[in-house]
Amino acid sequence: MPRKRKRACIPASDTQRGASREVVGLRHFLFNALPPECQLNCFSFLSEMEKCRAALVCQGWSRLMRTSRLWRQADFACLGAYRDGEGAPLPTAGDHERWKERVKDYAYHLMSRGASLLVLRASFDLGDEQSNWTQFLLQFLERVNCRELRELKLNWTLTPLEPLPTHRQPSMIQVGLAKAEQVNNFQSLLEKLGRISPGLQQASLPFDWSELSVKLLTAFQQLKSLELNYFWVFKGICPNSMQELTRALPNLKSLTLHVMIPVKDLEVTYTLESSSLEFLDVSQSRGLVFSLLNLPQLKELKVKKTIRGIILNRQTHLAVQSRWPCLYNLLQEGAPKLQALNQHQLLPSWQQEADGELAEVLAQACYCVQHSDTWLL
């Protein structure tokens, strides 16, 4: 039986091999063939965890991942979740210690890459003497580049996953001393940020409204958006402090105030003045009554009247309320460009006459005698 002849294998020429490689190259584009600047731009869209994984691919990517401008965000708040939901297990000392280790590792990771931050988010109790979060943050800010920092979200009154104290509840004197320590450390941190991050444009933080804190905050002349949360319900707010703050920030466009006016300051009213403010939200505030609004650029206002359950006799009630001007009159004089009040779109003629819908909105927002018919304040 005749054997089958083997087909001769004709070796591919160099031209054929080159054409074959070209086809493969078209099908499988080589990322490493891009210029480093293009590669960095692609990597900038990855999350921080994805960047860490990418650094393990090869030495070239590992070197690129050390580029400082790839690390633009420091988000310490995302490292631990709060467990305050119904039925959620209470954090233990072990949970807290493991979280602290993650925080330190994360900080070292950013410092070792010379991070150039645009965003800083953190939640640390600056009154915690044992953990000394104030010193931790000050050292972190020294070792990264914060010159371009634009957004700050800092809760300096609470640490995530911190276990509840096992000893008895502290006295009011002890609480007051602890709050004073928090404020002192916050002011040290704010002073530091004022020197190294003068271009800050957006900030959200608890605020104590002390004279020094107001002065330190007004150093951020580029602020455009500001959210100030309440610090301690028993601490009053000097009317001059609020007026000075808003007047001293020339670029402020959006302001959100969460303030709790203590009962002892029931008759105190406040002034807001700003030549640039366009959005104002005080709907989460409690007991905040305005005596003057000078906001020529204001376009939207959110405000809500809060009944605190203080029962007064009619004579005392009227004596207090008679000192509170009507919000509608304040807006007529001080906010001529207003377009929306509590998401209610105002008619072009709102300054001449309050229509029925606007009257209903004012009844929910204004503390004056005309818009409040209850003895409860």
Side-chain angles (χ1 to χ4, degrees):
M1 185 175 183
R3 290 187 300 175
K4 293 182 179 180
R5 298 178 61 182
K6 293 183 180 180
R7 297 178 62 182
C9 294
I10 304 174
S13 65
D14 292 342
T15 303
Q16 290 174 320
R17 283 196 294 267
S20 177
R21 283 196 297 269
E22 185 177 353
V23 172
V24 172
L26 290 172
R27 291 177 181 174
H28 305 282
F29 178 70
L30 296 178
F31 180 80
N32 289 341
L34 287 172
E37 287 298 320
C38 293
Q39 295 183 44
L40 287 173
N41 185 58
C42 295
F43 286 137
S44 68
F45 293 97
L46 300 180
S47 68
E48 295 194 348
M49 187 62 69
E50 289 169 338
K51 291 173 191 173
C52 291
R53 293 196 187 104
L56 302 176
V57 172
C58 62
Q59 291 183 353
W61 284 23
S62 179
R63 284 193 297 271
L64 286 174
M65 290 304 158
R66 295 189 180 95
T67 306
S68 61
R69 67 177 183 273
L70 275 182
W71 306 96
R72 307 292 262 171
Q73 176 175 292
D75 191 350
F76 292 96
C78 73
L79 297 180
Y82 295 93
R83 297 185 179 184
D84 55 358
E86 185 177 351
L90 294 175
T92 65
D95 292 333
H96 187 56
E97 290 303 317
R98 284 189 290 272
W99 177 82
K100 287 167 65 175
E101 287 300 317
R102 289 199 299 272
V103 167
K104 293 176 182 176
D105 291 343
Y106 181 55
Y108 176 79
H109 163 79
L110 292 173
M111 291 186 296
S112 64
R113 282 155 178 76
S116 182
L117 299 182
L118 290 175
V119 179
L120 173 59
R121 302 188 186 104
S123 182
F124 297 114
D125 179 2
L126 298 189
D128 187 345
E129 296 181 355
Q130 183 177 359
S131 298
N132 200 358
W133 293 116
T134 306
Q135 191 62 29
F136 167 81
L137 281 175
L138 289 173
Q139 291 179 352
F140 174 76
L141 294 175
E142 281 285 348
R143 297 178 185 179
V144 296
N145 181 7
C146 294
R147 196 70 189 174
E148 298 180 53
L149 188 68
R150 294 294 179 265
E151 179 186 339
L152 172 67
K153 186 173 184 180
L154 174 64
N155 184 350
W156 46 275
T157 65
L158 181 66
T159 301
L161 298 178
E162 191 168 21
L164 296 175
T166 55
H167 50 77
R168 64 181 183 180
Q169 291 295 322
S171 65
M172 286 300 296
I173 295 177
Q174 291 173 317
V175 171
L177 292 173
K179 295 294 183 183
E181 183 67 17
Q182 283 181 325
V183 170
N184 290 336
N185 291 333
F186 164 65
Q187 290 171 344
S188 299
L189 189 64
L190 200 60
E191 182 181 9
K192 176 76 172 178
L193 285 167
R195 293 197 306 269
I196 64 177
S197 307
L200 190 68
Q201 296 181 3
Q202 181 178 345
S204 174
L205 38 81
F207 199 62
D208 66 296
W209 291 101
S210 65
E211 183 178 350
L212 179 55
S213 294
V214 169
K215 180 180 178 181
L216 292 171
L217 190 57
T218 56
F220 299 97
Q221 290 287 288
Q222 302 304 314
L223 271 175
K224 295 181 179 179
S225 176
L226 182 60
E227 179 179 338
L228 300 179
N229 299 311
Y230 82 93
F231 166 61
W232 193 27
V233 70
F234 297 107
K235 189 179 187 304
I237 299 175
C238 176
N240 292 337
S241 298
M242 191 174 292
Q243 182 181 15
E244 178 185 347
L245 178 66
T246 54
R247 186 190 290 174
L249 295 173
N251 296 296
L252 191 63
K253 301 293 184 183
S254 173
L255 176 63
T256 302
L257 297 179
H258 298 177
V259 297
M260 303 290 185
I261 307 300
V263 175
K264 66 182 180 67
D265 294 335
L266 181 65
E267 300 182 35
V268 178
T269 55
Y270 297 84
T271 296
L272 277 185
E273 293 184 277
S274 172
S275 60
S276 60
L277 196 65
E278 297 180 359
F279 173 81
L280 175 62
D281 184 355
V282 294
S283 59
Q284 299 302 311
S285 295
R286 190 171 180 179
L288 180 62
V289 181
F290 294 112
S291 58
L292 175 67
L293 293 175
N294 184 11
L295 307 170
Q297 302 301 321
L298 189 68
K299 296 179 181 178
E300 183 176 357
L301 171 63
K302 293 184 178 181
V303 58
K304 183 180 179 181
K305 175 172 57 182
T306 303
I307 303 300
R308 291 185 285 180
I310 305 171
I311 303 177
L312 302 174
N313 60 53
R314 182 170 181 79
Q315 183 178 359
T316 306
H317 170 263
L318 291 176
V320 173
Q321 272 195 301
S322 63
R323 302 179 186 180
W324 294 342
C326 179
L327 178 63
Y328 178 58
N329 295 335
L330 296 180
L331 294 175
Q332 282 177 307
E333 298 172 5
K337 294 186 178 181
L338 191 67
Q339 299 174 4
L341 176 61
N342 290 352
Q343 298 181 332
H344 169 68
Q345 296 298 315
L346 301 178
L347 297 175
S349 60
W350 73 268
Q351 289 179 276
Q352 286 73 44
E353 182 182 6
D355 61 82
E357 291 186 7
L358 178 56
E360 292 181 8
V361 174
L362 289 169
Q364 301 298 320
C366 182
Y367 284 93
C368 77
V369 176
Q370 179 184 349
H371 293 110
S372 181
D373 58 357
T374 176
W375 290 10
L376 289 173
L377 294 182

